[in-house]
Amino acid sequence: MGEESHLVTKGIVHKYENRVLWKVSYRCAAHCQFCTRLRQIGTRDGDLNSEDIEKGLEYLSSHPEVNEVILSGGDPLFAPKVTEVIFSGLVQLPSVKVIRIGTRMPVHLPSAFEGGFLQGLLKKISEVAFMRPIYMLIHFDHPDELTSETMRVITQLRRIGLILLSQTVFLKGVNDDEGILRKLFESLYHAGVVPYYIYRCDYASGLERFVCSIQDERRIMTNLRRNLSGVAVPTYVIDVLGKGKIPVPLEFWDGVDLSQCKDFNGERILI
Ligand SMILES: *Cc1c(COP(=O)(O)O)cnc(C)c1O
Ligand code: SF4
């Protein structure tokens, strides 16, 4: 996604002024074929040593304009020891008001929430979650992923005080269907997970078969906006290479040119 140009120290992408993405490792329990970082997933390239973590924390303490850190990867929960060290460092920084953790572990490895694997990290999180907001952003693509095991994990995470959000990728033949997405977003909302983003699938080579038509996606999202509670409808965005997550306008407005948009800096880009 053109992240390299915003890499400020190993693992940290600083693209927007007030928040950074901290890639904890490239390890992940899921290996989604449509992953933005598929080339890296499962490799050791993203592993951080204590010096890397120290450098990252130093960067943040010298950049107090950063008030939010988004732990990502790979999956931060699949490298719980590293995440715990980073998390403990972050809570010491007064400038960091919000910590977000992106994960798919509740879907791909719900059993990990029972044993010792995540115990240390979850305990640490629960100690701070009542004093400052810790948001967990869980990747869900289909209502069938809401198994009883996954629902138990959601309850557990709510009980330790996390605020839960979801993110979804539009996938042709999987969830490009109003009924399927309605069931997904409603079920999440009813379980205490607020749908946050639905992304248009990246246009990377090899992913063509997953990319839906933008008109279909818009129609589906427009109908969902009509039929669901506002809180249950995620923002539909397109992650334009190096430009950011640009919201796609719904059909409530006529005469929208879907072939181009402006990025966060007001620069025109062709879709
Ligand atoms: C997605 C992303 C964020 C977070 O963006 P939000 O719109 O606040 O969710 C921050 N930094 C980078 C580099 C990102 O890719
Ligand atoms: S869960 Fe996320 S990080 Fe892991 S492979 Fe899937 S998209 Fe990539």
Side-chain angles (χ1 to χ4, degrees):
M1 292 315 295
E3 280 171 348
E4 289 75 11
S5 59
H6 300 279
L7 209 61
V8 291
T9 169
K10 186 171 180 189
I12 297 193
V13 184
H14 191 180
K15 185 154 93 178
Y16 308 110
E17 192 185 1
N18 72 322
R19 56 209 195 278
V20 299
L21 195 76
W22 193 333
K23 293 186 280 181
V24 166
S25 87
Y26 286 137
R27 294 157 194 268
C28 184
H31 280 232
C32 307
Q33 295 175 56
F34 48 87
C35 178
T36 297
R37 308 195 181 102
L38 187 61
R39 270 174 304 132
Q40 290 136 339
I41 295 302
T43 69
R44 292 169 172 269
D45 303 351
D47 289 0
L48 304 178
N49 59 33
S50 23
E51 205 178 308
D52 299 324
I53 297 173
E54 205 48 51
K55 277 201 190 123
L57 292 169
E58 271 166 29
Y59 179 83
L60 293 174
S61 50
S62 59
H63 287 81
E65 74 275 16
V66 176
N67 57 31
E68 171 166 11
V69 176
I70 300 153
L71 301 180
S72 177
D75 194 323
L77 298 192
F78 203 56
K81 293 258 156 54
V82 182
T83 301
E84 194 178 330
V85 175
I86 293 176
F87 188 87
S88 306
L90 290 177
V91 296
Q92 306 291 326
L93 296 175
S95 52
V96 176
K97 307 294 182 205
V98 172
I99 299 171
R100 229 193 276 177
I101 304 170
T103 184
R104 194 157 161 75
M105 288 275 275
V107 176
H108 264 264
L109 206 55
S111 59
F113 291 80
E114 283 168 17
F117 187 64
L118 286 171
Q119 210 169 30
L121 176 61
L122 292 179
K123 186 163 175 288
K124 184 127 286 165
I125 291 175
S126 69
E127 282 162 13
V128 288
F130 284 102
M131 288 177 287
R132 63 163 91 190
I134 310 293
Y135 290 81
M136 190 166 269
L137 197 50
I138 310 173
H139 174 175
F140 286 105
D141 294 319
H142 195 282
D144 288 354
E145 293 172 344
L146 294 165
T147 60
S148 55
E149 290 87 347
T150 295
M151 295 305 270
R152 260 204 305 279
V153 173
I154 290 175
T155 307
Q156 182 187 354
L157 295 174
R158 270 164 43 71
R159 198 175 282 139
I160 65 171
L162 287 166
I163 301 168
L164 302 181
L165 305 173
S166 72
Q167 53 185 350
T168 300
V169 181
F170 255 119
L171 297 169
K172 192 168 170 177
V174 176
N175 64 9
D176 56 335
D177 176 275
E178 191 186 326
I180 288 175
L181 285 181
R182 179 176 183 150
K183 189 168 174 206
L184 175 64
F185 299 144
E186 248 173 2
S187 308
L188 287 170
Y189 181 45
H190 293 169
V193 183
V194 177
Y196 177 51
Y197 273 148
I198 181 162
Y199 298 93
R200 185 158 166 71
C201 188
D202 292 339
Y203 304 112
S205 92
L207 299 188
E208 296 81 359
R209 70 203 155 96
F210 286 124
V211 180
C212 316
S213 92
I214 197 164
Q215 283 79 12
D216 287 351
E217 292 179 351
R218 254 182 112 214
R219 182 178 35 76
I220 291 170
M221 292 313 295
T222 304
N223 286 338
L224 291 175
R225 190 68 185 83
R226 285 197 186 100
N227 297 325
L228 290 182
S229 307
V231 185
V233 185
T235 304
Y236 166 38
V237 294
I238 167 161
D239 205 349
V240 185
L241 192 72
K243 303 290 186 181
K245 302 173 184 79
I246 317 274
V248 180
L250 301 185
E251 291 177 343
F252 298 99
W253 303 85
D254 284 332
V256 175
D257 176 2
L258 292 176
S259 66
Q260 56 178 332
C261 66
K262 284 185 197 154
D263 70 7
F264 285 17
N265 299 317
E267 270 174 54
R268 199 167 289 282
I269 36 185
L270 294 177
I271 299 296

